[in-house]
Amino acid sequence: MIEGHRTFRVFVSSTFSDLKEERSALQERVFPRLADLCRSHGCSFQAIDLRWGVSEEAALDQQTMNICHEELRRCQRLSPRPNFIVLLGNRYGWRPLPPRIPADELEELMQAVESADDRALLWCPPPPTEPEPRRHWYRRDDNAVPAEYVLRAREVEVAAEGDPESRRAEEASSWSELERRMRAALLRAIEVRGWAATDKRRKKYEQSATHQEIEAGLLAGDLANAREHVFAFVRDMDVPTADPTAADYIELLPSGVVDSDAVVRLRELKSALQGQLGLHTDDLTGNLHRYTATWSSAGPTTAHLDELCRDVERRLSTEILRQVNHGELLAGQDVENRAHEAFGAERAWVFEGRADLLLTIREYVGGPSSHPLVIHGASGSGKSALMARAAFDLRSAPAASDGAMIIARFVGTTSASWELRSLLVDLCRQLEPEVDALPAEMRDLGAELSARLARSAEERAVVIFIDAVDQLNDSDGARTLWWIPRDLPAGVKIVISVVNQDRWMSGVFWAAMDVTVPENLLELKEMTEQDAERTLDEWLRRVGRRLQHDQRADLLSQFAGPGRGLPLFLRLAFEEARRWSSFGTFGGDRVRQHGLGAGIDGLLSSLFMRLSDEANHGALFTRRALGLLAAGRRGLAEGELLEVLSRDAEVLADFQRRAPRSPRVERLPFVVWARLRAEVEPYLSERAAAGGAVLGFYHRQLEDFVHSRALAGSERVRACSALAEYFEALPAFHESLEAQRVRAERSPPHPG
């Protein structure tokens, strides 16, 4: 994850039914203006409201809270201040069942559940000779470490008669009753077991979804800077409980009586927020704003909306401008460094085994050779991970490199690293940051790099890693590698990696052979089965997972097939296998529908089929979203992707068909993309770019596969045309050179 780049990503936490007008006003009147403000300063703005425009989209697979918490954590990691706003009204909000419960915890509670019917709904051990009956909503997953119980995907049987809307309403009502009943049984069991009111385990059973978000975004975190990154906006209103039209604005029990427990909890939550943030006054000392609305026959009055919009825009824009003007956003060179560090750390994490290769690199660094070391191998053989781990080890153990300056660059990680000129400028500035003057001519720039290498090595050894030189743009003859010194100055070592099997980059491989000597060629071959087993077990251990014996044997037998012993295959197989439960391949009841498939293409085909399932994300949305990412020349920002998808009438129609109870929308709700991103996250790479971060595929084989599946025939024309129309309509596309110069002086872009 790239930290500190120029993106303001703000998570919006609110209840759903009672704050539609407030959220609509912010979406229509405030967030677009904040996006324009950020864009004028070379930044981007994203408002993450997962409840916007969709009432039940993320609930069916019981992943709502997992997605919300992950998006909140992403806002906190990614964005400078501000990153979290709260909207509260008269509802405490939906209180979900925990999607996962530690096994020992649920089994303790089950001992206190007296009703046999409630035990059957939740979980109870089946007879030894019988399979676990389907009516249990929690299933034990022994692939989790420690073991846990997982809430089933939402499937409620209703009568087949009636129109689709009536059946959906009946299904929602049936599930709501089941959820209420199971939660009540768990709460009674908590009281019987005598858990103290302060026991943190209680929160996931008692708190509303909004309260849990606030806990994660503010109350449970570091409060030192809360008044710089968290803002709360609270609407107060007296709602007549006897008015049947007020049901969406107050908390009622199924009997129609006001839920007094929810009323108390909401009052306490508002009080806690005000205590932490302070009540807003004219001198801007507090971050909690309060508004008053009155009830009418048509619902709440809306006179407060103008003030709400003014306050949200003023508070967020003030904080955004403070950071822009005070230089708290990272400068371009800092972003470049952070991006490569983050990419390297991620790749080093997945590297296991192959100790002989690391030893060869250490011996080269400490040896007398005056030529570069060339690491070559087939696509997917683990070159990037090896380079990243070698650089990490040298930095972590200075004695191994005698205190050398270690520079690692991974081509394609940032917009600057694709181009030879910006890569050379970056390396020169890394070597001598205090010397700004650089030649304009490319040949002179290459000579300047050699000169700076020699001068830097007079003070300490220099080791440079450049991964994937075959991916450089060849506009300056970059792939001939003329810019890499054949004879290195004393104290300088350069390690490069290149693919040795490629249909259109084979010339780069031969150029790489020309820059070194035979003894400095290091080929990456297929992993041994022993290394694969150790690597798989270590990766699973790190994420708190394990596999059943037959699952593990099945995966490793696939890896050992002809031509499949590549780290990329193992990584892709691991990312699928970590989702497997002990009771099936997938975390629900759709067991082994697709399996792993044969080879990398087969594995990716199975992944694509799973994502495209109608019960998952649907074929059209999966194809269009991933296709746009592959069609983007250097990746796409999430905001750009959502905007282009929202302009696609077929995508919007497909969303409306798949979420028929959602209000009509003109923009695709972010939650739809958030759910897909959560599943494809391991296959994506976030790269630094001017004004923010862009997403792309972390390996070229993945991108090639998506091209073949999602951009075949007319789909490629459609995607490229959609991107062209979007970018051509942007104001910056039509800026004069003078306007671009002024904007660049106000907010310097990243290198390149």
Side-chain angles (χ1 to χ4, degrees), residues 354-524:
R354 306 177 109 176
D356 57 325
L357 301 176
L358 292 173
L359 177 61
T360 298
I361 296 174
R362 285 198 299 271
E363 290 176 343
Y364 163 75
V365 169
S369 177
S370 60
H371 301 281
L373 176 66
V374 176
I375 298 173
H376 63 99
S379 181
S381 57
K383 298 181 296 297
S384 296
L386 173 62
M387 296 276 279
R389 182 57 180 268
F392 176 83
D393 287 351
L394 288 175
R395 289 193 184 106
S396 303
S401 56
D402 196 24
M405 174 190 293
I406 312 296
I407 303 172
R409 288 297 181 260
F410 302 87
V411 174
T413 297
T414 67
S415 57
S417 63
W418 291 103
E419 308 293 338
L420 179 59
R421 177 179 295 278
S422 51
L423 176 62
L424 293 180
V425 168
D426 175 31
L427 292 174
C428 286
R429 288 176 175 167
Q430 288 293 306
L431 292 167
E432 294 181 349
E434 69 283 356
V435 181
D436 291 330
L438 288 169
E441 294 295 327
M442 284 298 299
R443 288 289 170 181
D444 295 337
L445 192 54
E448 179 69 15
L449 174 63
S450 296
R452 292 195 181 200
L453 283 170
R455 289 196 296 267
S456 298
E458 292 175 358
E459 300 180 6
R460 58 173 172 167
V462 177
V463 183
I464 297 179
F465 293 85
I466 307 177
D467 177 52
V469 293
D470 48 273
Q471 294 191 42
L472 282 167
N473 187 316
D474 202 30
S475 57
D476 293 302
R479 296 181 196 152
T480 66
L481 307 185
W482 61 264
W483 47 275
I484 295 179
R486 270 54 175 173
D487 294 304
L488 302 176
V492 174
K493 304 292 182 182
I494 294 180
V495 185
I496 66 171
S497 74
V498 60
V499 69
N500 64 2
Q501 296 174 12
D502 194 280
R503 61 185 180 276
W504 62 285
M505 288 184 177
S506 57
V508 189
F509 170 69
W510 294 114
M513 301 304 102
D514 187 51
V515 306
T516 190
V517 292
E519 55 267 29
N520 281 9
L521 298 178
L522 179 59
E523 183 177 8
L524 270 67

Side-chain angles (χ1 to χ4, degrees), residues 563-576:
R564 301 178 195 167
L566 296 175
L568 178 61
F569 179 89
L570 189 65
R571 172 77 188 278
L572 297 175
F574 157 74
E575 294 296 350
E576 286 297 289

Side-chain angles (χ1 to χ4, degrees), residues 11 38 65 94 160 330 340 437 450 458 522 555 728:
F11 188 92
C38 289
M65 294 311 300
W94 169 55
L330 292 178
H340 288 282
S450 296
E458 292 175 358
L522 179 59
L555 188 156
E728 186 178 11

